[in-house]
Amino acid sequence: QVQLVESGGGLVQAGGSLRLSCVASGSIFSTTTMAWFRQAPGKQRELVADISRSGSTTYADSVKGRFTISRDNAKNTVYLQMNSLKPDDTAVYYCNYFNRLTGLPHSSWGQGTQVTVSE
């Protein structure tokens, strides 16, 4: 059973920064694309960024130039550095294993971490 544990969220003012972390269980971590998603109140969950096993990355247009995804395979951990935060970034953030071909996550969701950006 894969477990995903997100942390690092909090309350920050617009323009501020946060760094999210996600520790994933499972021996496939180093060979699998990982992704960050977010879900704002009343909205569908959306893909924010993903990173392949080799380190190639993709980003949603709304976060390009502000967010950076990275991974440490030795620690089974994926990170999301979020800079220049905006109120529209307010959401619960989740990580997951990710299939770029299908656009779907592999595993059940963790508890997520809340990010709240104030004006």
Side-chain angles (χ1 to χ4, degrees):
Q1 182 78 10
V2 172
Q3 287 191 318
L4 302 162
V5 181
E6 302 93 345
S7 62
L11 174 63
V12 64
Q13 288 188 326
S17 299
L18 284 172
R19 188 193 194 206
L20 307 183
S21 299
C22 168
V23 179
S25 67
S27 58
I28 63 171
F29 180 89
S30 62
T31 62
T32 306
T33 296
M34 295 295 297
W36 282 97
F37 298 78
R38 67 185 180 186
Q39 186 167 21
K43 295 186 177 181
Q44 288 190 331
R45 194 169 302 180
E46 63 175 352
L47 177 66
V48 175
D50 65 77
I51 182 167
S52 73
R53 61 182 181 176
S54 63
S56 68
T57 58
T58 61
Y59 295 93
D61 287 344
S62 59
V63 306
K64 278 181 183 175
R66 299 188 299 121
F67 290 11
T68 302
I69 188 171
S70 61
R71 65 190 296 163
D72 184 337
N73 290 337
K75 295 181 179 180
N76 272 28
T77 302
V78 61
Y79 303 99
L80 187 67
Q81 178 67 45
M82 306 186 295
N83 298 328
S84 302
L85 283 161
K86 305 175 181 179
D88 283 349
D89 296 318
T90 295
V92 179
Y93 284 71
Y94 303 87
C95 69
N96 211 320
Y97 291 92
F98 182 65
N99 187 320
R100 279 182 169 174
L101 294 179
T102 64
L104 296 174
H106 280 195
S107 180
S108 56
W109 298 100
Q111 84 288 349
T113 186
Q114 175 71 48
V115 172
T116 304
V117 185
S118 62
E119 297 280 357

